Amino acid sequence: MDTPTPTYLTPEQDQRIRRWERWNRRYFIFAFITLIVLLVFSSQLGVSSGDEWGALGPLLAAFIAPIIVMQLRLSCPACGERIGWQAKLQAPDQCRHCQTFLRARQSH
């Protein structure tokens, strides 16, 4: 029984995945810090009061929505299948659909 030859991304496809990872990681850090500041200082900033959320709810949604969009937009460069929540802050090791390793082959 032959084992299939592992498939890897081309250098261009690999760059696309790494660029997505960088954007995803940077936005997550920015949103995390901003959300903490908003939650801790929301009453001092006049965004909410002790009794109601005011504008805090829509602000939280505005910072969280891009994270969801970025996760759902990631697709495998080899087959085009959406990776979605299989990815966290980085792309997974392998596409579930086409089994391509989501990195370029390293030349040794």
Side-chain angles (χ1 to χ4, degrees):
M1 181 175 191
D2 287 335
T3 57
T5 304
T7 309
Y8 292 86
L9 299 178
T10 66
E12 295 79 26
Q13 291 170 329
D14 186 63
Q15 283 179 339
R16 233 178 22 205
I17 289 281
R18 300 307 145 230
R19 185 177 26 233
W20 177 88
E21 287 178 339
R22 282 190 305 275
W23 273 99
N24 197 30
R25 189 172 34 250
R26 288 176 186 159
Y27 183 78
F28 180 82
I29 291 168
F30 164 75
F32 184 77
I33 291 169
T34 304
L35 289 172
I36 287 177
V37 169
L38 276 174
L39 290 172
V40 170
F41 299 109
S42 62
S43 60
Q44 288 89 350
L45 294 170
V47 178
S48 71
S49 67
D51 298 330
E52 60 183 56
W53 280 56
L56 187 59
L59 280 172
L60 293 176
F63 280 104
I64 293 172
I67 294 171
I68 295 168
V69 169
M70 282 193 286
Q71 286 297 128
L72 296 178
R73 284 192 59 201
L74 179 63
S75 59
C76 174
C79 70
E81 187 74 19
R82 297 272 181 215
I83 293 172
W85 295 112
Q86 184 184 353
K88 303 299 183 229
L89 285 178
Q90 295 184 330
D93 292 334
Q94 199 169 14
C95 174
R96 286 186 198 172
H97 184 258
C98 69
Q99 304 304 314
T100 298
F101 286 97
L102 297 177
R103 63 180 183 272
R105 181 180 286 265
Q106 301 296 322
S107 57
H108 296 287

